[in-house]
Amino acid sequence: MNPSSGPSAPPAPLVIESSVVDGLPAEAALLLRISGSLDAAGAQAWSAELRGHLEQADRAGLRPVLDMAHVQLGGAAVLHTLSETTRSRTGRPDLIIVRARPGVREAVHLARLDGVRLYATLDEALRELARAASRAEDLPAWRSQMTDPLRPSYEDLRKEVRALRDRVRTAPVIGMAQGVLMVRYGLPDSGLAFRALRETSQRFNVPLRVLVSAVVVARPPQGTVWFPGRRPLPVPQMRILAREDRDPRYRRRMIEAVLHEALTAGRASAGYVRFVDPAVNALVLETHRGCSDPFLDHLVRGRDEGTADAVARLRGRQVCVPDVADDALLSEESRRVLLTTGTGALLSVPVLSPAGSCTGVITLHRPDAGHRPTPAEAEALGALAADTAAWLSWYHRSVLLDALEHLHRTVTGSPS
């Protein structure tokens, strides 16, 4: 079967994994771990699958618990599905939801669905249910919104919106990677492709976004080994990032170390690191510190025209903006956002690969207009960028290629 002629696959198919957990005095719980993306098109199918699991729980005398920590997107689709599901369960045990994202929690709060309870963690849910089971009457289904500790704050919702924007940009690449695997290996559906990607991501501690991008841009394998003749590479000599015995295999820790060293070297209180995603040829935010929410919202929208980041990437050298209010390099939109968030000066440092292409930028913000880095600061930041480029090249040629090899062996069933 050739799946390439069928309809396009969803970016991250919804998966429900069930398991029984103990913890209640009179009954056990059927834990339904839900992951993937839920949209209007998939809501009906998910609702039917969910009802099947709930009927199974009722027949077995188990209390159903939904773990929704990894449900992506959704919004109205999640709310509609939960509304239809709870309406059909009138007179049955309440539906327990744990670890829901802020957007889902807010939607459930506003809709005031009967028969639904929200808890931060599974342990909290089990403790509350155990206390309720020991009393003659159960806890009320809804607590006051004013005192409910799970009601998301405005900051929670802003972070949720940023995360959604980021996932909207990533979802097409995930779909592309699923399609590549389906066509390349003849997989019958996108769910198998997504599960192989997710397992590899977790096994090698490589972010899914980074893994799927590599799947899309890497040359196709020609045999049982994706990259024949490859040998283990020694960790490069890094003058700055080698401090504190950091493990270079842990990508997030290394990137956070890059930002920490940059803030120290540039004597700045705010900054961020962005790397180029080769699948979309765009800068993607990796980590930040001290940046305001409005600026982060602006950054995640991906509008790089008229920014110091874009100029540093294009020119391949450090770009200093000593006065945000007057510098002609910035677009009016970038200038407005920077000024409203208290940034008076900034510096963008490109991360150049051994071949000379820009693979990322390190940007520092300062509140005082007129600031320029000293020669010593500029030299230290340049050395840090060189360290970052050396580590990133090693990571891509070692950890990331190891992950791709594992993915290839897993899907083809080849021995290690």
Side-chain angles (χ1 to χ4, degrees), residues 2 8 10 20 30 78 116 120 165 238 256 261-262 272 281 376 392:
N2 187 350
S8 60
V20 177
L30 181 66
V78 172
V116 175
R165 285 187 181 131
M238 297 180 292
E256 289 177 346
E261 297 290 350
Y272 55 88
N281 191 30
L392 194 59

Side-chain angles (χ1 to χ4, degrees), residues 14 34-37 67-72 99 101 198 202:
L14 217 67
I34 306 173
S35 60
S37 296
D67 184 344
M68 301 185 70
H70 301 293
V71 175
Q72 302 174 5
R99 302 202 303 164
R101 294 175 180 270
R198 183 178 59 183
Q202 295 172 347

